[in-house]
Amino acid sequence: MTSPGADLTLRHPVERFTLDNGLRVVLAPDTSVPVVAVSVFYDVGMRSEPEGRTGFAHLFEHVMFQGSAHVPKMEHARLVQAAGGSFNGSTHQDYTNYFEALPAEALERALFLEADRMASPAITEENLRNQIDVVKEEIRVNVLNRPYGAFPWLQLPQIAFESFANTHDGYGSFVDLESSTVDDAKDFFDRYYAPANAVLCLGGDLDVAETERLVRRYFDAVPHRAAPPTPYTGEASPTGPRHGVVVDALAPAPAVAIAWRVPDPVADLDTYLGTVLLSELLSEGDASRLELRLVHRDHLAVAQSSYVGLFGDPFDVRDATTLTTQVHHSADVTPQRVLDAVHEEIDKVAQDGVGAAELARVQARTSAQLLRGADSVLGRTLGFASAELIHGRAELAGELAARLAAVTPEAVQHAARGLVPDTAAVLELRTADKGTTR
């Protein structure tokens, strides 16, 4: 018997091989459009940072765009754009990635560029100081001078977790950033940017044999260095509630965020998928439970959202992580009224379960989002790369929509039973004048 949603599986072929220097290579050919995507995922993210070097993963992402041994500063961007392509990079909790999307005939150009900076980025005093200033300005603009800039992604982990890896500010403190040296940057590169600590994923209009030849031509010369151990970021489950308060002088209205620990996204993926669908059921769309209760019926909130994972992508994180609900409310509504309503809605799912029709609607929405993200060559390639790095199987990215469609109502009910007030971490955001609440 065919499982529910089996026809949602993306059946793109995936080829893989490993170079002598340890670089894992994944090829996902698709000749339907004359486009290729090149992505390099390094197994280093915000949770890899040592004490005293907060923000270093993000800072180093910036440094990697400042040129390399055979590519002057700004030349990487010029060469990609001159070929009609686009490029970017990003820092996450558990990895940092770099990627390009280009016409198929520019594949070799992209491979040369990524291999050159994997081998020898331009780590100089000038580049490091310049990018420290850039990152500091980014923090000023995105966090310090923006309402809700740190809420809740930088502030809630300090309450929800215990370890330095999970609680520290991934954007970095100015003190840590300013005290960074070229030697620190070179040590970070040597430790974490080894080819054995990376996945190179290529997708699109490519010939497998010719692409392997080109990969070996450019990446074989990158010296082997041992990959560092994957940092352990798991934590014991909380045994009691946790609570904190922050004041945001720029915020026009108060807010509250609640986080619950969830199953291990890698080791217990099937159970975790029930939690992913629960978060969608609670808050996605006008028919979601919290939208109906908090915004439309009780008028307790002006906005609400729920998501799994710090950045809202539930499939690219390792343990430990949370399901977070954040609610923005008016000053005449107390945080406790909001919390009570949220817990009541979760308890309804825990006690009464979820109907097949409601779950099917949520599954259809979630699967459609995944399939839409995989529709482009770049989106699909990034998904394969993330799944290979985090889960050890690029193919998982193509299976997620089908696996979500197969999640049972009982699995979602089980997930809700784990979100109890007694183990929740709560962060209140108050405005500068605080206002009166009732």
Side-chain angles (χ1 to χ4, degrees):
M1 181 177 176
T2 303
S3 63
D7 58 336
L8 297 176
T9 301
L10 294 176
R11 305 189 188 282
H12 289 280
V14 172
E15 307 274 350
R16 53 167 54 78
F17 58 93
T18 301
L19 302 187
D20 289 343
N21 58 20
L23 178 66
R24 291 160 286 170
V25 184
V26 176
L27 307 181
D30 174 11
T31 59
S32 62
V33 290
V35 174
V36 292
V38 175
S39 65
V40 184
F41 278 54
Y42 293 92
D43 200 338
V44 55
M46 295 174 181
R47 294 202 281 196
S48 306
E49 295 166 347
E51 293 191 48
R53 286 294 168 261
T54 60
F56 217 87
H58 177 233
L59 171 63
F60 206 82
E61 177 212 326
H62 281 253
V63 172
M64 287 285 280
F65 283 99
Q66 300 307 298
S68 51
H70 302 97
V71 182
K73 184 181 293 191
M74 304 304 295
E75 190 71 1
H76 188 123
R78 190 193 70 79
L79 287 170
V80 172
Q81 292 170 338
S86 60
F87 68 96
N88 211 334
S90 59
T91 310
H92 299 251
Q93 281 186 287
D94 295 313
Y95 65 85
T96 306
N97 64 2
Y98 306 87
F99 50 88
E100 294 90 7
L102 315 96
E105 61 267 20
L107 172 62
E108 186 170 1
R109 177 178 299 196
L111 292 175
F112 158 70
L113 292 170
E114 288 298 348
D116 202 57
R117 67 175 165 185
M118 179 182 284
S120 50
I123 305 174
T124 66
E125 182 70 25
E126 178 186 358
N127 286 340
L128 182 62
R129 291 300 132 200
N130 175 269
Q131 293 312 301
I132 288 173
D133 288 342
V134 170
V135 170
K136 287 168 58 181
E137 184 61 20
E138 192 174 318
I139 294 171
R140 291 187 187 99
V141 171
N142 293 338
V143 178
L144 301 179
N145 295 317
R146 174 179 291 182
Y148 313 107
F151 179 83
W153 74 286
L154 292 178
Q155 297 162 329
L156 186 56
Q158 299 173 30
I159 302 167
F161 298 109
E162 295 286 346
S163 70
F164 175 80
N166 290 320
T167 59
H168 77 270
D169 181 347
Y171 240 146
S173 75
F174 281 13
V175 171
D176 285 356
L177 291 169
E178 289 167 350
S179 65
S180 302
T181 68
V182 169
D183 285 343
D184 293 329
K186 289 180 177 178
D187 178 70
F188 192 84
F189 170 75
D190 288 341
R191 181 185 301 272
Y192 293 110
Y193 276 71
N197 204 41
V199 169
L200 168 66
C201 187
L202 314 175
D205 189 7
L206 50 86
D207 175 85
V208 171
E210 174 62 11
T211 301
E212 179 173 351
R213 184 188 71 81
L214 290 172
V215 168
R216 291 188 182 279
R217 175 182 177 184
Y218 290 105
F219 286 89
D220 268 343
V222 181
H224 171 267
R225 300 191 303 280
T230 301
Y232 178 71
T233 55
E235 290 191 18
S237 297
T239 56
R242 307 179 186 188
H243 186 270
V245 176
V246 294
V247 175
D248 188 337
L250 301 176
V256 62
I258 316 106
W260 300 265
R261 286 282 299 279
V262 299
D264 187 329
V266 177
D268 196 9
L269 178 60
D270 286 331
T271 305
Y272 178 77
L273 293 179
T275 304
V276 172
L277 288 178
L278 174 62
S279 72
E280 298 283 323
L281 179 146
L282 289 173
S283 72
E284 286 298 311
D286 290 340
S288 64
R289 302 253 180 143
L290 293 182
E291 185 74 12
L292 289 173
R293 172 72 183 273
L294 300 178
V295 178
H296 298 295
R297 194 185 90 190
D298 291 358
H299 306 293
L300 295 176
V302 294
Q304 61 78 33
S305 63
S306 296
Y307 47 89
V308 181
L310 188 63
F311 296 129
D313 186 340
F315 304 116
D316 71 348
V317 292
R318 299 182 173 117
D319 200 42
T321 193
T322 62
L323 187 157
T324 300
T325 293
Q326 65 181 80
V327 181
H328 295 252
H329 58 91
S330 60
D332 63 349
V333 172
T334 64
Q336 191 59 51
R337 290 181 64 195
V338 173
L339 292 171
D340 289 344
V342 169
H343 285 300
E344 284 174 14
E345 290 304 312
I346 293 171
D347 190 58
K348 288 177 184 177
V349 180
Q351 297 300 322
D352 304 332
V354 55
E358 182 181 16
L359 180 57
R361 171 178 59 79
V362 172
Q363 288 169 314
R365 174 192 288 270
T366 309
S367 296
Q369 290 172 339
L370 280 169
L371 295 172
R372 192 178 305 117
D375 192 48
S376 71
V377 170
L378 178 59
R380 190 162 59 248
T381 302
L382 294 175
F384 282 141
S386 173
E388 182 72 18
L389 186 74
I390 300 297
H391 295 272
R393 287 188 63 246
E395 295 87 347
L396 177 64
E399 300 166 1
L400 283 171
R403 292 180 68 162
L404 284 165
V407 172
T408 64
E410 291 76 17
V412 177
Q413 183 179 26
H414 175 75
R417 288 174 175 168
L419 307 190
V420 295
D422 290 346
T423 59
V426 176
L427 175 67
E428 290 182 46
L429 180 143
R430 298 174 181 172
T431 57
D433 60 4
K434 188 177 177 180
T436 57
T437 56
R438 58 178 171 81

